[in-house]
Every structure is written in C-alpha cells, then in structure tokens.
C-alpha cells in the first residue's frame, strides 16, 4: 500500500499533551507518534526531598535492621528514593508494589517484589488483596513509604485490620511551570487532548492551563485520578481501563474515534 492510499492512523493530526518527562514521557511520546499523534512533552510535576529527612533515614535504617515484616512501595519515585539512600531490604522483609510499573522499577533497581495486585494497580487494589496475599496473618509490622500529598488509604486500611504500621514520607511533589508556548497552544485549542496521570498532575493542569477549551479531551489513567481531576474542576472525558501508559493511550484512541 503506498502513502497515498494507506489507512490513516487513529490519532492522525492530534496534538497530545504529555505531562511527565523522563523515560515514562519518552515512551508515551513514542507510542503516540506510532499512532499518528504529535506529542507535546511538558513535565508539570517533579519530586523533591522530604521535609523530614531524619524520619526517612531512621525508617530506612530500621528497615535494613529487619524491623519490618513488609514494606509497601507505591510509586517508581519511591524506588528512586530507596536507591538514592542505598536502602537495604533484608531477606526477612517482603516487598509489596502497588502496580506493574512500580514492580518493574524495583526489579530494575535490584530489589525483590513479593506482591503486585492482580486486578487494580492502586493502593486500594493492594489493600483489597492484602489479606489473601499474607495468609491473613495479623499483626504484621509494615513500613509504608508515601509521597507527602498521597492519601493515607493504604496506611489507614492496614491499621484498621490490626497491623502495626509506620508511615513515612519519602518525597514531596512540586509543580513545574510549563512554557508560555504550551500555555498559548492549550488556550488556543491547538492541543487536542491532555493526559492526566495523577491527582498532582490534575492540580497543575487546572492551575496552569485551566479552564481548558471545551473541545480539549481530558484522559485520566484510572478512576482515582479521574476523581481527583474532577475535584480540581477538570472535565473527564475518558478513563483508562488499567493504570498503564498503554491503557491510557488506548482510552484516548477510543475517545478520539467516538468524537470524530
């Protein structure tokens, strides 16, 4: 089939805002290009050191000493924190990852992974599968590492069923200003869709780019992110079936086809 008669790609002519950089953003941009889109990579959040480094260091020292039965890791950024502190997770401590992306980051950093939720790649999903994965043993000593703004759903859920939980902030999330050009492109409608990958991103999209034009699609990576987006007064047009980059792009493709 020659160029003149080839079938159009599903996102042909679409400009899509990718709100995260790094390897994740590069991968998403490449997948968008493969589907005909023009990605606009504009990181809107970054990660900074926790305000209570002493508490984090003390927790990681106790982790290395074998003080915990389990440690929960809820993001790839937390894995970066573990690596930067050269944290040791002893063989006696099992590791729970909130999803496949976090599990992959742990493996790449040389850590073991013992649990990944099968159904829902989220803190809620991990909590729902916790009892079965741990054979119902209570109490367990658990270290939960989280971001400063993360809702303590996992920590509170584990405490509620009787576990001994120590919750420590591993990092802070901070906003990153986008360029004037990106703001102008969004305001003028030259950006056709915005990918929203977390509540933090939703907040920055509204603060920096809102209100979005009516025809600009907002696609969220999961139900919790969609809920957070709505709380920040963003309209949500599509929600990924799974908390993965591939599912996020698939949701955009479906919505683009429906709006054609």
């Amino acid at each position: 089939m020659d160029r003149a008669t080839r079938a159009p790609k599903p996102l042909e002519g679409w400009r899509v805002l990718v709100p995260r950089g790094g390897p994740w953003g590069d991968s998403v941009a490449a997948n968008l290009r493969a589907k005909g889109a023009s990605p606009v990579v504009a990181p809107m959040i970054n990660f900074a050191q926790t305000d209570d480094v002493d508490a984090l260091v003390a927790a990681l020292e106790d982790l290395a000493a074998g003080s915990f039965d389990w440690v929960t890791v809820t993001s790839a950024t937390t894995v970066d924190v573990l690596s930067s502190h050269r944290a040791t997770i002893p063989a006696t401590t099992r590791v729970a990852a909130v999803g496949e992306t976090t599990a992959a980051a742990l493996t790449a950093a040389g850590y073991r992974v013992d649990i990944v939720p099968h159904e829902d790649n989220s803190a809620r999903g991990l909590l729902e599968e916790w009892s079965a994965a741990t054979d119902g043993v209570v109490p367990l000593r658990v270290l939960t590492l989280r971001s400063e703004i993360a809702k303590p759903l996992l920590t509170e859920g584990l405490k509620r069923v009787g576990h001994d939980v120590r919750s420590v902030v591993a990092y802070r999330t901070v906003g990153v200003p986008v360029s004037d050009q990106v703001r102008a492109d969004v305001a003028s409608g030259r950006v056709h869709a915005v990918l929203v990958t977390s509540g933090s991103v939703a907040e920055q999209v509204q603060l920096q780019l809102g209100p979005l034009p009516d025809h600009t699609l907002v696609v969220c990576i999961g139900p919790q992110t969609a809920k957070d987006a709505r709380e920040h007064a963003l309209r949500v047009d599509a929600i990924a079936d799974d908390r993965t980059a591939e599912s996020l792009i698939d949701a955009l493709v479906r919505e683009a086809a429906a709006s054609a």
Side-chain angles (χ1 to χ4, degrees):
M1 182 180 296
D2 62 31
R3 179 181 295 271
T5 59
R6 70 172 175 82
K9 295 180 178 180
L11 294 176
E12 197 90 39
W14 282 66
R15 297 188 74 208
V16 181
L17 181 68
V18 180
R20 286 174 54 188
W24 190 93
D26 291 343
S27 174
V28 169
N31 288 339
L32 286 168
R33 290 189 192 97
K35 295 185 184 300
S38 297
V40 180
V41 180
M44 302 190 75
I45 58 171
N46 205 342
F47 306 100
Q49 181 172 267
T50 173
D51 287 332
D52 194 349
V53 176
D54 290 345
L56 174 62
V57 169
L60 294 181
E61 288 176 348
D62 289 344
L63 175 64
S67 298
F68 302 102
D69 300 305
W70 283 87
V71 57
T72 66
V73 184
T74 55
S75 70
T77 304
T78 303
V79 180
D80 292 339
V81 172
L82 290 171
S83 295
S84 68
H85 282 269
R86 298 182 180 177
T88 298
I89 301 178
T92 53
T93 301
R94 302 185 73 189
V95 181
V98 78
E100 296 295 342
T101 301
T102 303
L106 282 162
T107 300
Y111 294 109
R112 183 183 67 260
V113 180
D114 297 289
I115 288 180
V116 182
H118 292 96
E119 299 295 332
D120 179 4
N121 278 194
S122 69
R124 188 179 305 278
L126 180 58
L127 188 59
E128 288 175 352
E129 297 185 28
W130 183 271
S131 180
T134 59
D135 297 322
V137 175
V138 178
L140 292 167
R141 298 164 300 165
V142 185
L143 172 63
T144 59
L145 299 170
R146 60 183 180 85
S147 74
E148 182 183 49
I149 63 172
K151 297 177 176 65
L153 184 143
L154 182 59
T155 297
E156 291 179 354
L158 292 173
K159 285 182 176 179
R160 194 159 48 242
V161 296
H163 295 298
D164 179 9
V165 184
R166 182 168 166 188
S167 180
V168 177
V169 173
Y171 62 91
R172 293 181 295 120
T173 304
V174 295
V176 176
V178 299
S179 69
D180 291 341
Q181 184 64 59
V182 168
R183 278 194 292 271
D185 284 350
V186 171
S188 68
R190 288 194 292 271
V191 171
H192 303 94
V194 176
L195 305 182
V196 178
T197 56
S198 68
S200 302
V201 167
E203 180 181 22
Q204 291 302 315
V205 168
Q206 185 61 283
L207 284 174
Q208 298 192 50
L209 305 175
L212 298 175
D214 289 342
H215 65 272
T216 302
L217 298 182
V218 176
V219 185
C220 294
I221 202 166
Q224 183 59 54
T225 299
K227 180 182 177 182
D228 292 340
R230 293 185 182 108
E231 288 177 355
H232 289 294
L234 286 177
R235 183 195 69 254
V236 176
D237 297 292
I239 304 172
D241 294 333
D242 303 308
R243 289 182 55 84
T244 64
E246 292 78 9
S247 185
L248 183 63
I249 295 173
D250 287 344
L252 171 58
V253 169
R254 289 195 301 271
E255 190 63 26
S259 64

